[in-house]
Amino acid sequence: MNHWPFVIAAYGITLIGAAAVTVQSLLRMRAAERRADALKDRK
Amino acid sequence: MHIFANPARFLTIARPLTPWLGWIGALLIVAGSIGGLFITPPDYLQGDSVRILYIHVPAAWLGMAGWSGIAAASLMQLVWRHPLASVAARAMALPGGLFTAICLASGSIWGRPTWGTWWEWDGRLTSMLILLFLYIGYGALTSATSGRQSGDRIAAIYGIVGAVNLPIIHYSVLWWNTLHQGQSIGLTSSKIAPSMLWPLPLTMLGFTLLFVAIVLMRMRAALAEGKVEARLRRLANA
């Protein structure tokens, strides 16, 4: 049995999952900090 | 831990630390994955499927470490009323749950060519699945009770009670002798040949640093969102 398709699937799931949560967290953080900075000077 | 009780002090440390942790973590993951995929030899019994080890073990470690972090932060929240504890616990839930799901998925994919089955109701697999359900429950609980102090307390109690599952996961391979192999790596010794083991510390450290970077980003987002909410409320009342 060729094991490489299983290896590629496992690495693919891991890297896509890790990248997705990293990007989602980064975008959420940037958007929230930008909104907080924009409101800082409003009286 | 009390020196981080001040969110402003936490942010002065977290802001410069986040990109460093993220980039060093990503580089270590790439280096460890290249080593595990292309440089180490295949196992004499498992063949090339053994290469899944280099991502499966860090995912399992982070799934369990994530819940240990939730339990520790929940304890700090209840006992010392640390202002950042509940923020930290909530920030760990999504990455912890994701790595638990990755551990289950990669383990299932690894199981097919080595065990001949995608799934077996064995002690280790079942207790890991329970951990995933605990994460899903924690996520549902925190979003349902968001913004309420009593909700924070309930989530903290849930986080501490859920930690009961962690020793069950750890000792499951000793208590129930089924398909999942026993412990092959300890703190001081390993049953894996050094020629196959060396990429594992790289991916373990890499994914751990990336996990910390993700948690810091989610904490920073939660603090900024809280600040926006408070400011909007103040502006509305003015």
Side-chain angles (χ1 to χ4, degrees):
Chain A
M1 185 195 262
N2 180 11
H3 290 174
W4 277 102
F6 296 96
V7 176
I8 293 165
Y11 273 77
I13 287 171
T14 304
L15 297 180
I16 290 169
V21 77
T22 306
V23 171
Q24 190 266 346
S25 305
L26 181 70
L27 294 178
R28 184 185 153 197
M29 179 194 78
R30 278 192 180 162
E33 289 187 342
R34 212 174 298 135
R35 243 178 294 140
D37 284 343
L39 276 173
K40 204 187 271 178
D41 302 324
R42 274 180 63 179
K43 300 251 165 119
Chain B
M1 272 299 141
H2 290 290
I3 55 166
F4 299 116
N6 179 345
R9 192 177 297 153
F10 163 78
L11 285 173
T12 56
I13 297 165
R15 276 195 187 121
L17 206 59
T18 313
W20 279 103
L21 291 173
W23 283 114
I24 294 170
L27 284 175
L28 287 171
I29 292 166
V30 170
S33 298
I34 289 171
L37 284 171
F38 306 113
I39 301 172
T40 55
D43 182 62
Y44 80 104
L45 255 181
Q46 297 187 42
D48 283 313
S49 71
V50 77
R51 300 182 195 283
I52 297 172
L53 166 90
Y54 308 111
I55 48 164
H56 177 72
V57 174
W61 143 248
L62 287 173
M64 291 174 70
W67 199 276
S68 307
I70 288 175
S74 301
L75 196 67
M76 271 189 231
Q77 180 194 332
L78 290 178
V79 177
W80 294 293
R81 308 211 181 277
H82 195 298
L84 286 178
S86 70
V87 177
R90 282 161 195 248
M92 279 182 264
L94 181 70
L98 176 91
F99 279 106
T100 306
I102 287 173
C103 167
L104 287 165
S106 60
S108 175
I109 293 168
W110 195 0
R112 183 68 189 87
T114 49
W115 296 340
T117 180
W118 297 99
W119 183 262
E120 176 71 31
W121 290 102
D122 113 321
R124 175 60 65 87
L125 274 68
T126 309
S127 53
M128 239 11 228
L129 184 65
I130 290 169
L131 182 64
L132 179 64
F133 291 153
L134 284 169
Y135 272 116
I136 294 169
Y138 186 85
L141 189 62
T142 49
S143 52
T145 58
S146 166
R148 275 182 276 163
Q149 212 167 9
S150 61
D152 278 353
R153 283 178 61 85
I154 293 166
I157 293 165
Y158 181 92
I160 294 166
V161 173
V164 169
N165 191 38
L166 297 177
I168 297 174
I169 296 171
H170 183 74
Y171 291 108
S172 58
V173 287
L174 300 175
W175 293 341
W176 301 288
N177 190 16
T178 52
L179 264 183
H180 198 285
Q181 67 181 72
Q183 192 176 328
S184 36
I185 307 159
L187 278 177
T188 53
S189 63
S190 163
K191 291 176 189 165
I192 302 171
S195 64
M196 294 174 73
L197 188 65
W198 66 267
L200 187 60
L202 296 180
T203 53
M204 287 280 276
L205 184 62
F207 277 111
T208 305
L209 295 182
L210 185 69
F211 184 90
V212 177
I214 293 167
V215 171
L216 289 181
M217 284 192 276
R218 300 187 77 78
M219 287 180 74
R220 284 171 58 182
L223 289 173
E225 283 161 2
K227 219 184 275 178
V228 168
E229 212 172 288
R231 209 156 279 160
L232 286 175
R233 212 175 301 132
R234 219 175 304 137
L235 285 170
N237 291 337

